[in-house]
């Protein structure tokens, strides 16, 4: 019975088994947000211009860090036309079960991902990314 229980825990998970979480810290205009990212090997989002990987950050963290509202994040073209922040840009995405679209994104120099300081291009999802709240961002294998 214990073996079946353990097999079910590993196969179906408890929200943490078999997953790798990475601490992330981003700073923008004197505001700092520290949060957890799930290393998602299925996240292949890259900048179409430079080819660099993109960190996908939840709307909650984006709002805390940049002041962009959930409405602004969910209407990227309208937000870009209003030019609320310098350095804001658009990243196209495709997701399983959706037709895709555009995400607002910014570059964050001096970001800390895991134990490494680097420049990160972060795209902002309008909603949260985790139903359980265990993580607030998604990173692919390259970040």
């Amino acid at each position: 019975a214990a073996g079946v229980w353990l097999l079910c825990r590993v196969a179906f998970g408890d929200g943490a088994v078999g997953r790798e979480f990475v601490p992330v810290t981003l700073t923008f205009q004197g505001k700092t947000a520290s949060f957890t990212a799930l290393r998602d090997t299925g996240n292949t989002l890259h900048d179409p211009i430079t080819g660099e990987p993109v960190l996908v950050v939840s709307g909650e963290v984006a709002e805390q860090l940049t002041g962009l509202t959930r409405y602004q994040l969910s209407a990227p073209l309208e937000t870009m036309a209003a030019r609320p922040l310098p350095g804001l840009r658009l990243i196209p995405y495709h997701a399983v079960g959706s037709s895709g679209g555009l995400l607002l994104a910014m570059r964050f120099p001096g970001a800390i991902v895991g134990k490494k300081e680097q420049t990160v291009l972060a795209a902002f999802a309008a909603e949260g990314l985790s139903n359980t709240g265990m993580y607030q961002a998604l990173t692919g294998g390259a970040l």
Side-chain angles (χ1 to χ4, degrees):
V4 171
W5 175 83
L6 181 61
L7 181 60
C8 287
R9 285 287 275 211
V10 171
F12 301 111
D14 65 354
V17 175
R19 294 183 172 190
E20 182 182 354
F21 297 98
V22 182
V24 177
T25 301
L26 300 179
T27 303
F28 178 71
Q29 294 182 345
K31 295 178 188 173
T32 299
S34 295
F35 52 92
T36 302
L38 171 66
R39 189 174 307 276
D40 179 7
T41 57
N43 175 13
T44 59
L45 187 62
H46 283 76
D47 180 348
I49 297 169
T50 66
E52 71 182 291
V54 177
L55 176 73
V56 181
V57 178
S58 72
E60 178 183 297
V61 171
E63 189 171 0
Q64 172 192 347
L65 196 57
T66 66
L68 291 170
T69 66
R70 303 279 170 98
Y71 175 78
Q72 288 174 306
L73 296 174
S74 65
L77 292 174
E78 190 177 307
T79 301
M80 284 297 291
R83 299 180 186 203
L85 296 173
L88 203 58
R89 56 180 291 204
L90 296 170
I91 298 286
Y93 76 94
H94 299 282
V96 175
S98 92
S99 60
L102 296 168
L103 295 173
L104 292 168
M106 291 181 68
R107 186 168 306 284
F108 292 89
I112 300 171
V113 180
K115 296 179 181 179
K116 184 178 175 186
E117 185 174 331
Q118 61 191 57
T119 296
V120 169
L121 181 59
F124 308 127
E127 301 300 323
L129 300 170
S130 166
N131 293 335
T132 62
M134 291 183 70
Y135 55 90
Q136 297 76 38
L138 297 172
T139 179
L143 276 177

